[in-house]
Amino acid sequence: MSARKNAIEFWKEFEKVEHSIRDLLNRENYEECMELVEPLDSYAYESFGCHFFVDNAYGDYELTWDTGPNKTIQYLAAMVCQLAPQSIKKSWILNACLPPLSQKAIQAQVQIKDQIYTLTDFMLFYTEDETQQSWHCEVYCPGFSLITNPENKKEMSMYLLELALGQCAYEAYIGSVDFLDAPKMDESFCNLVDGYEKLMDHVETKGWKTYQSPLEIYSVFQPVQDFAHDSLRKDMKFIFTTHPLLIEETLEEKTDVLKDLEVKQGEFDYIYYNNLFNTREDALFRQELSKQFDQAFQKSECARVIGGAIGKSYSYIDCIVFDVHRFQSTLDQIKKQLDSKVKLHVQKF
């Protein structure tokens, strides 16, 4: 099996009960609906590392993957959405990560002592960081003063803010999150349920960079090492990635991220080749090559490009692979097309 085949199997089983799920959602029979969803959800969690939920709160059927910030899982969820049958894509809105103010957010409740609080009971205080294009946020709830453990309040604040903003906006624009036991008088604020609209108005007004997915958010690394070194992955001068933890761990020769994907029947690979120009042209050539690879890999449903690097001797294109055999076959076809320009190699992380 492969991660890709696991996704195909998921949709095959989902299609068997999809009509019944829609009928139960229409009749608001959520208990029986959950009985149909739970076996699929268990399979999804085992195969892709995340749960999903369904609803039709706004008149449309929605299936949402609750990935959290784990980039490996976000890529797997996006792959599952990509592989959905056309009949499902026509009938359902598929969210590869948590959208702002999802049904899960609307239904969220927090009990503090004997009082139940919903998202509407929380206030968001924020300061803008124009240099980093981010907000520093503090969340206030009247019940926070009754909680003695500050870590619990901070974790609750982060969780609720993520629910309110959705995964993409939370990762893209939130620089820090803390809690407040009492409201501030000298800081901008809004109700937490209005936070997404307020934030995106600010993003538009200030012309900040926008993202459609958390997988579009890149981080840049400049390893602290001797650049005289010219062996594989030791010569890197600039690294750009959508999966920072993968880079951090591999630089430190750790393997937790690699093993996590292996369990889910995928792998991280990198394509490399000798630099052709030893000038700025190397970066432009690598960028164009990366786009070409990503288009081909997504078309064959086998992988995604997740970043890369420019090194003293080599250039790198990093990939998350969902189907090793299809990936190798697609890569072989690209190699034939580029053989006269550059000699490509592939290596598992």
Side-chain angles (χ1 to χ4, degrees), residues 30 32 45 51 58 138 144 150 194 208 248 265 277 306:
Y30 301 119
E32 285 189 33
Y45 187 76
H51 297 286
Y58 302 107
E138 295 170 299
F144 273 173
D194 299 321
W208 289 1
E248 290 170 11
Q265 298 180 299
F277 309 102
I306 61 173

Side-chain angles (χ1 to χ4, degrees), residues 11-26 33 36-37 40 54 61 63 87-92:
W11 289 118
K12 190 183 299 183
E13 295 302 312
F14 185 85
E15 281 188 298
K16 292 178 182 178
V17 294
E18 183 260 344
H19 181 78
S20 297
I21 289 174
R22 283 197 288 153
D23 179 58
L24 291 167
L25 286 173
N26 289 337
C33 184
L36 294 180
V37 168
L40 292 166
V54 297
Y61 303 107
L63 187 153
S87 60
I88 298 296
K89 290 179 178 179
K90 288 179 180 178
S91 302
W92 292 77

Side-chain angles (χ1 to χ4, degrees), residues 1-16 40 43-44 47-48 65 76-89 264-265 299-302 322-323 326:
M1 292 291 281
S2 66
R4 177 181 177 275
K5 289 179 180 177
N6 288 340
I8 292 171
E9 184 65 25
F10 169 82
W11 289 118
K12 190 183 299 183
E13 295 302 312
F14 185 85
E15 281 188 298
K16 292 178 182 178
L40 292 166
Y43 178 84
S47 301
F48 316 121
W65 295 94
L76 288 168
M79 178 267 298
V80 177
C81 288
Q82 180 188 359
L83 289 172
Q86 286 303 314
S87 60
I88 298 296
K89 290 179 178 179
K264 298 173 178 64
Q265 298 180 299
K299 185 177 180 180
S300 65
E301 304 169 345
C302 65
F322 310 123
D323 188 311
R326 291 173 73 94

Side-chain angles (χ1 to χ4, degrees), residues 48 57 124 208 229 240 257-258 266 287 293 298 326-327:
F48 316 121
L124 175 63
W208 289 1
H229 209 312
F240 13 91
V257 171
L258 303 179
Q287 186 178 35
F293 280 140
Q298 291 204 55
R326 291 173 73 94
F327 173 74

Side-chain angles (χ1 to χ4, degrees), residues 119-125 138-141 189-192:
L119 228 57
T120 57
D121 297 310
F122 290 80
M123 301 300 294
L124 175 63
F125 291 79
E138 295 170 299
V139 176
Y140 165 70
C141 173
F189 71 94
C190 63
N191 193 285
L192 190 54

Side-chain angles (χ1 to χ4, degrees), residues 79-218:
M79 178 267 298
V80 177
C81 288
Q82 180 188 359
L83 289 172
Q86 286 303 314
S87 60
I88 298 296
K89 290 179 178 179
K90 288 179 180 178
S91 302
W92 292 77
I93 296 171
L94 303 178
N95 299 310
C97 65
L98 203 65
L101 287 178
S102 65
Q103 187 66 13
K104 182 178 180 180
I106 293 169
Q107 294 175 344
Q109 293 184 338
V110 175
Q111 181 168 350
I112 302 175
K113 300 299 183 182
D114 297 325
Q115 185 70 35
I116 299 292
Y117 298 91
T118 66
L119 228 57
T120 57
D121 297 310
F122 290 80
M123 301 300 294
L124 175 63
F125 291 79
Y126 57 91
T127 56
E128 302 148 6
D129 185 336
E130 296 298 335
T131 304
Q132 297 297 320
Q133 295 193 355
S134 64
W135 277 10
H136 297 285
C137 298
E138 295 170 299
V139 176
Y140 165 70
C141 173
F144 273 173
S145 60
L146 303 175
I147 302 175
T148 56
N149 188 329
E151 281 302 311
N152 289 347
K153 289 185 277 191
K154 184 169 184 176
E155 289 177 7
M156 190 184 302
S157 298
M158 294 170 67
Y159 174 71
L160 293 173
L161 183 59
E162 182 182 25
L163 284 180
L165 300 183
Q167 195 68 46
C168 186
Y170 182 82
E171 289 189 27
Y173 305 116
I174 303 307
S176 64
V177 184
D178 212 334
F179 67 90
L180 290 173
D181 285 328
K184 289 185 173 180
M185 297 296 106
D186 57 347
E187 200 168 288
S188 300
F189 71 94
C190 63
N191 193 285
L192 190 54
V193 294
D194 299 321
Y196 177 75
E197 184 177 356
K198 180 74 69 173
L199 172 60
M200 296 314 293
D201 283 346
H202 185 87
V203 168
E204 183 178 359
T205 300
K206 297 295 183 178
W208 289 1
K209 184 174 175 59
T210 57
Y211 306 90
Q212 299 301 313
S213 161
L215 300 177
E216 297 176 2
I217 303 170
Y218 273 83

